[in-house]
Amino acid sequence: MTRSPKILVFDSGLGGLTVFSEIAKIRPNAEFVYCADDAGFPYGSWGEPELVARILAVMAAQIDQHEPDIVVIACNTASTLALPQLRARWPGVLFVGTVPAIKPAAAMSRTKLISVLATPGTVARDYTQKLIQEFAGGCAVTLVGSKHLAKLAESAIHGEEIADGAIASEIASCFVQREGARTDVIVLACTHYPLLLESFARLAPWPVDWIDSAPAIARRADQVLVENLGPDAPNGDAPRRRAIFTSGAAPSESLAATLARYGLPAA
């Protein structure tokens, strides 16, 4: 390329920062727009047809305004629900989605007891069931649809203090004991959840491997860019990056500081 690519990272809130940070490591010269649909958050409160319409409407505005080379849907719920519609609507735009990392979890597990910690919508999605059937046939898979973890993670990144008990109760069902074996791998099937990983590990009743799909998503985004646009181009200027909130609300002082640490000034 003769220029650095423009990458739009989209999420219902701030969980996609976990994906953005991994892509930025691989593509430090890229131009980034991070779009948080905070006006629609949380997506778990929407019906499926309404949510698809919401995602398409927000994406239409972002694509029209920013003309990205690639859109990374850094949200399991949006990806498993609306990715086919997005690709059909904008066939000329590259899209990379986020799906539960069930395949690597099944390969990693020694006890063959794995859990998928997700939102209720992702747990209920047919796509998730197909992943289990295709890649985890030899495992007992426990699906845990948390109603509150995404909100807790969102509150935490806004600088609010989160009680350990609130987190512990949301992850408790992930830990299964059966015939002397224990769950040994847990898939974090919401991009918000790695924001709480330190608390998860501290509050877990026994050690497990936690799978965060963000590095794999970043590698896939880079692969798609290389295949379609070529390697990252050097850029003598500081990379242009900004965060956009669909509500139009200005971030609080603590959130602005957090975004700055990610190298994302709010627009």
Side-chain angles (χ1 to χ4, degrees):
M1 292 185 69
T2 57
R3 60 174 179 82
S4 296
K6 181 182 287 187
I7 302 173
L8 172 64
V9 180
F10 172 79
D11 184 35
S12 62
L14 296 168
L17 291 174
T18 60
V19 176
F20 159 77
S21 63
E22 293 296 329
I23 302 174
K25 292 176 185 177
I26 300 175
R27 290 272 175 166
N29 298 315
E31 180 179 353
F32 284 93
V33 177
Y34 182 92
C35 176
D37 185 18
D38 60 330
F41 181 85
Y43 279 176
S45 63
W46 292 72
E48 289 193 5
E50 294 79 12
L51 182 54
V52 170
R54 169 73 188 180
I55 293 168
L56 290 174
V58 173
M59 194 57 58
Q62 297 302 315
I63 289 175
D64 182 63
Q65 180 178 356
H66 302 293
E67 299 181 340
D69 295 300
I70 187 172
V71 178
V72 179
I73 307 298
C75 173
N76 284 268
T77 298
S79 296
T80 56
L81 182 61
L83 199 54
Q85 293 92 324
L86 290 167
R87 286 173 170 152
R89 176 80 173 272
W90 292 281
V93 177
L94 303 171
F95 284 94
V96 171
T98 304
V99 298
I102 291 170
K103 181 179 180 180
M108 182 184 298
S109 177
R110 298 171 299 280
T111 66
K112 299 307 175 184
L113 292 178
I114 68 176
S115 292
V116 179
L117 181 60
T119 63
T122 298
V123 163
R125 206 77 68 224
D126 288 342
Y127 191 95
T128 304
Q129 294 296 333
K130 290 178 182 178
L131 288 175
I132 293 171
Q133 293 169 11
E134 186 173 356
F135 298 116
C139 297
V141 180
T142 299
L143 293 171
V144 179
S146 170
K147 294 182 179 180
H148 305 295
L149 271 181
K151 290 182 180 179
L152 292 173
E154 198 84 0
S155 296
I157 204 166
H158 277 82
E160 300 175 27
E161 187 173 344
I162 307 301
D164 283 351
I167 296 174
S169 63
E170 294 294 309
I171 67 173
S173 298
C174 294
F175 295 86
V176 177
Q177 299 187 70
R178 186 177 302 169
E179 298 177 356
R182 291 176 165 181
T183 300
D184 65 346
V185 180
I186 297 177
V187 178
L188 300 177
C190 172
T191 55
H192 278 81
Y193 296 171
L195 297 171
L196 298 172
L197 183 55
E198 183 178 322
S199 294
F200 291 168
R202 178 170 52 82
L203 297 170
W206 59 78
V208 297
D209 290 316
W210 305 87
I211 298 187
D212 172 11
S213 60
I217 300 165
R219 291 192 297 270
R220 176 58 183 161
D222 180 61
Q223 179 185 14
V224 169
L225 282 169
V226 169
E227 291 172 352
N228 289 273
L229 301 174
D232 203 9
N235 186 347
D237 300 326
R240 290 177 291 173
R241 301 175 180 180
R242 55 178 170 162
I244 294 173
F245 296 87
T246 57
S247 68
S252 65
E253 185 176 340
S254 61
L255 178 56
T258 297
L259 292 171
R261 289 197 294 273
Y262 280 91
L264 274 173

